[in-house]
Amino acid sequence: MPELRRDPIVGRWVIIDSEHLKGPADFPKEDNTPKNQAICPFCPGREHQTPEEVDAIRPLPGQANTPGWLVRTVPNKFPVLTSQGALQKEGIGIYDQMDGIGAHEVLIECPDHDKILTDLTLEEVKAVVSQYQSRARYLFQDSRFKYVVIFKNFGSSAGATVEHTHSQIIALPMVPKTVLEELQGAEHYHQYRGRCIFCDMIVQEYQDKERIVMENGSFLAFCPFAPRYAFETWIMPKVHSADFSVIDEATQADLAQILQDVLKRVKKVLGNPAYNYYLHMAPIGYTNAACYHWHIEIIPKLTRSVGFEWGTGLHIVSTFPQDAARFLHDSSH
Ligand SMILES: [Zn+2]
Ligand SMILES: [Zn+2]
Ligand SMILES: [Zn+2]
């Protein structure tokens, strides 16, 4: 019997297609190893091929836009939003329009073209997370921006156009709808229960146990009860925290550890699939910090959305989250 499940934060229903269940072996495999170093603009020595860096971590003192960096952040050469100009809003009848003001940055995660995020040392992943945080903190200071999203596309079918390992950061002049839905759901829950729904979710995950992938000192990784996609996995800080931009160094280190560990498990179990992950944090200047809880959502790219899903917002998932969690939990990499 197929099962309908509801996500308690945003109220989204999903269908678990239990009549056609899929395990790791049932998804198509693709080759996501990097191979085109010869034409890569993100490799050391080609710093002039990107816009000038806005931030970098250099273990030894060195000049900007020269080799020697461990992590390097540059404006996207093909930004979806531009940072020049003032915020102009205009109504055209029933329609709203505003200038495309924002920031779009690329964070090159390591100098080595042949390495992907799962190949880096823990110290190197820590540098990536530390750069995530310092860019978020920097962009939070721009009064034109209301939201910062950090995300990664890995593999061409997940939207990566350059294979050299990198993440992206976009600052927006408004709060996007997906985040608004989470905020509204969390605020509503807080109003009548007096607690954070994400914190309650963590309590329930510990009770139910079967969806837990792993944990460390600061974080829990689990497959959500009502996933939109097979092997969808969330990482949440165990202690309530709305604002990612202020996490301390020990928390950054734990985040680096669990993020990489989960990605290694995904790689091992599913054969290096393409994936997306993104970090949801509270909007800039958000005042209901007791309601919201920052987190990362990891979506392995195993299937394509079909008309029914576009038309209804109801996702069809062919893997139970407890089965996905067991595969990921049991994999030793
Ligand atoms: Zn490269
Ligand atoms: Zn919380
Ligand atoms: Zn979220």
Side-chain angles (χ1 to χ4, degrees):
M1 169 89 72
E3 210 173 294
L4 276 159
R5 291 185 170 206
R6 185 176 171 274
D7 175 275
I9 303 165
V10 295
R12 174 183 51 226
W13 288 91
V14 300
I15 297 174
I16 313 269
D17 182 9
S18 56
E19 307 289 303
H20 308 92
L21 286 179
K22 283 187 177 166
D26 302 317
F27 297 104
K29 300 283 176 287
E30 55 181 42
D31 182 8
N32 284 309
T33 47
K35 35 191 119 42
N36 292 314
Q37 185 167 2
I39 52 158
C40 175
F42 293 173
C43 275
R46 301 204 185 107
E47 283 81 3
H48 60 280
Q49 291 187 19
T50 65
E52 288 197 8
E53 70 193 38
V54 291
D55 204 350
I57 297 178
R58 288 191 160 71
L60 299 169
Q63 287 245 304
N65 305 303
T66 63
W69 47 271
L70 187 60
V71 174
R72 181 168 185 257
T73 304
V74 299
N76 195 311
K77 207 168 180 175
F78 309 101
V80 297
L81 294 168
T82 151
S83 61
Q84 307 302 318
L87 215 49
Q88 300 269 14
K89 219 173 175 177
E90 179 183 0
I92 304 165
I94 58 168
Y95 302 114
D96 291 329
Q97 177 187 311
M98 63 204 285
D99 287 346
I101 300 297
H104 188 173
E105 300 179 346
V106 175
L107 193 157
I108 307 164
E109 295 158 6
C110 91
D112 193 335
H113 188 92
D114 299 323
K115 286 186 180 162
I116 58 176
L117 192 53
T118 42
D119 298 325
L120 303 188
T121 64
L122 188 55
E123 284 307 310
E124 289 169 328
V125 185
K126 268 198 244 173
V128 172
V129 169
S130 144
Q131 185 88 148
Y132 281 174
Q133 198 236 5
S134 58
R135 289 319 294 160
R137 209 170 38 197
Y138 177 84
L139 293 165
F140 266 46
Q141 291 161 11
D142 193 319
S143 61
R144 297 170 303 167
F145 302 153
K146 297 223 165 41
Y147 198 74
V148 173
V149 62
I150 296 168
F151 63 98
K152 178 174 170 76
N153 306 331
F154 172 74
S156 59
S157 62
T161 48
V162 177
E163 62 182 18
H164 194 125
T165 192
H166 68 283
S167 306
Q168 300 180 60
I169 303 169
I170 291 184
L172 295 164
M174 41 60 176
V175 181
K177 186 161 184 341
T178 302
V179 178
L180 271 182
E181 285 173 354
E182 286 187 358
L183 291 167
Q184 283 158 359
E187 285 165 8
H188 181 67
Y189 186 89
H190 195 269
Q191 245 165 26
Y192 75 94
R193 295 258 169 102
R195 295 190 305 267
C196 162
I197 190 169
F198 297 89
C199 286
D200 275 9
M201 203 176 248
I202 290 171
V203 170
Q204 174 134 10
E205 292 305 328
Y206 275 119
Q207 272 167 17
D208 295 353
K209 289 189 184 70
E210 61 180 8
R211 286 178 301 274
I212 292 181
V213 174
M214 65 170 294
E215 66 174 316
N216 65 19
S218 314
F219 292 92
L220 181 71
F222 62 96
C223 296
F225 175 80
R228 290 156 294 172
Y229 304 98
F231 288 85
E232 177 173 346
T233 305
W234 294 2
I235 297 174
M236 274 184 205
K238 293 188 204 174
V239 174
H240 183 79
S241 159
D243 187 356
F244 167 78
S245 77
V246 297
I247 65 168
D248 63 20
E249 241 175 81
T251 313
Q252 291 173 29
D254 274 356
L255 178 59
Q257 192 276 328
I258 199 164
L259 177 61
Q260 192 192 36
D261 200 323
V262 169
L263 292 172
K264 281 180 178 174
R265 288 165 194 264
V266 167
K267 181 177 182 225
K268 175 98 184 285
V269 169
L270 297 164
N272 203 22
Y275 63 79
N276 302 103
Y277 68 67
Y278 43 87
L279 197 156
H280 276 159
M281 61 184 95
I284 299 169
Y286 185 63
T287 50
N288 282 331
C291 304
Y292 195 69
H293 196 122
W294 73 265
H295 57 275
I296 291 180
E297 302 179 19
I298 302 169
I299 316 276
K301 186 80 187 172
L302 303 171
T303 54
R304 284 167 188 239
S305 292
V306 295
F308 173 70
E309 292 168 334
W310 290 115
T312 61
L314 254 102
H315 291 261
I316 305 166
V317 188
S318 48
T319 309
F320 276 107
Q322 61 269 31
D323 294 336
R326 196 181 55 248
F327 277 115
L328 295 172
H329 177 271
D330 292 349
S331 84
S332 54
H333 44 77

